[in-house]
Amino acid sequence: EAVIPLRRIQASVIRSGPVARLFGWHRLEFQTLSADAMKSGNQVAVPFGRMEEVLPVLEQAHPHPLPPDEDYIRVSKRHILRQAICWTGILALPVAGFSIAFPFAAFLLLLLPFAVGGAALQWRHHRYCLAEEALHVREGLLGRRLSVIPYERIQTIAVDQGPLQRRLGLASLTPDSAGASLLGSGHITNLPAPAGGRPPPVCPP
């Protein structure tokens, strides 16, 4: 049993896996900050619960309601191209090597269209919303995550651009709040990169 002071909660994450979603189950975690660094980290507030059970607990930490679906913005559609190229390369290079000794391994290249389909599904589920009080980020293909990060808790924003992203005019943003990492949650991948190299805003002016 753990007692989590509300003032120590930095951000929240609602998670669900493919099996859990069949039963309508979700998991609520709080990213906390403690005076003792060893006690900072992710605290599970609701291990398994339906949304009607999760939301009242979430509202204790973030009193503003979650934005409606229509308020979420998808990342750039070039996300599909970038992810498909990355996944195709990961699959094609080993297959090319194995096919030298095992010609039948070349049939694995038939899986390449699934890389494009997976990239499209990932793009479909990757969205963010600049709400009044917090940044909301949806991400994940099989395991889904909804991160809620209050603007007042954001300490830094990291902007990343790989070589392929630069060619496609994309950038990824990671808002960082105090305390332990949310294991990648809140990461906005493949936003359109504005001219001049300035990152797109994720906080209100």
Side-chain angles (χ1 to χ4, degrees):
E1 181 177 345
V3 178
I4 308 173
L6 295 179
R7 67 181 183 278
R8 296 292 185 181
I9 296 175
Q10 303 298 300
S12 304
V13 178
I14 300 175
R15 301 180 186 271
S16 64
V19 176
R21 284 196 301 276
L22 293 176
F23 298 94
W25 293 339
H26 302 272
R27 175 187 179 99
L28 174 63
E29 300 176 2
F30 291 139
Q31 176 186 348
T32 61
L33 176 64
S34 172
D36 182 354
M38 296 298 293
K39 296 181 180 179
S40 299
N42 290 358
Q43 305 292 335
V44 178
V46 181
F48 290 98
R50 299 184 180 277
M51 284 302 291
E52 57 266 26
E53 299 168 319
V54 168
L55 291 179
V57 181
L58 178 67
E59 289 173 1
Q60 296 300 312
H62 310 291
H64 298 275
L66 294 178
D69 288 345
E70 57 267 22
D71 286 357
Y72 285 84
I73 304 170
R74 285 195 175 100
V75 297
S76 172
K77 204 165 186 177
R78 293 191 296 274
H79 172 96
I80 301 175
L81 177 59
R82 186 214 174 199
Q83 294 302 108
I85 291 174
C86 292
W87 292 351
T88 297
I90 292 173
L91 178 63
L93 291 178
V95 169
F98 280 119
S99 62
I100 296 176
F102 305 100
F104 290 105
F107 284 103
L108 293 176
L109 293 176
L110 297 175
L111 298 176
L112 291 180
F114 290 97
V116 179
L121 286 174
Q122 190 182 58
W123 168 78
R124 180 181 177 183
H125 294 294
H126 189 22
R127 309 180 187 185
Y128 66 97
C129 177
L130 300 173
E132 183 177 352
E133 299 291 337
L135 168 67
H136 299 73
V137 182
R138 290 180 174 180
E139 54 189 324
L141 182 57
L142 296 177
R144 307 274 176 81
R145 296 185 298 269
L146 169 60
S147 303
V148 182
I149 310 170
Y151 298 127
E152 62 182 10
R153 302 294 188 184
I154 296 176
Q155 305 295 310
T156 61
I157 297 176
V159 182
D160 301 305
Q161 264 192 320
L164 183 55
Q165 283 181 310
R166 286 194 292 271
R167 291 296 299 269
L168 295 175
L170 301 172
S172 296
L173 298 181
T174 304
D176 180 37
S177 56
S181 169
L182 273 175
L183 302 178
S185 295
H187 187 72
I188 309 176
T189 306
N190 296 327
L191 286 167
R198 298 185 62 186
V202 293
C203 294

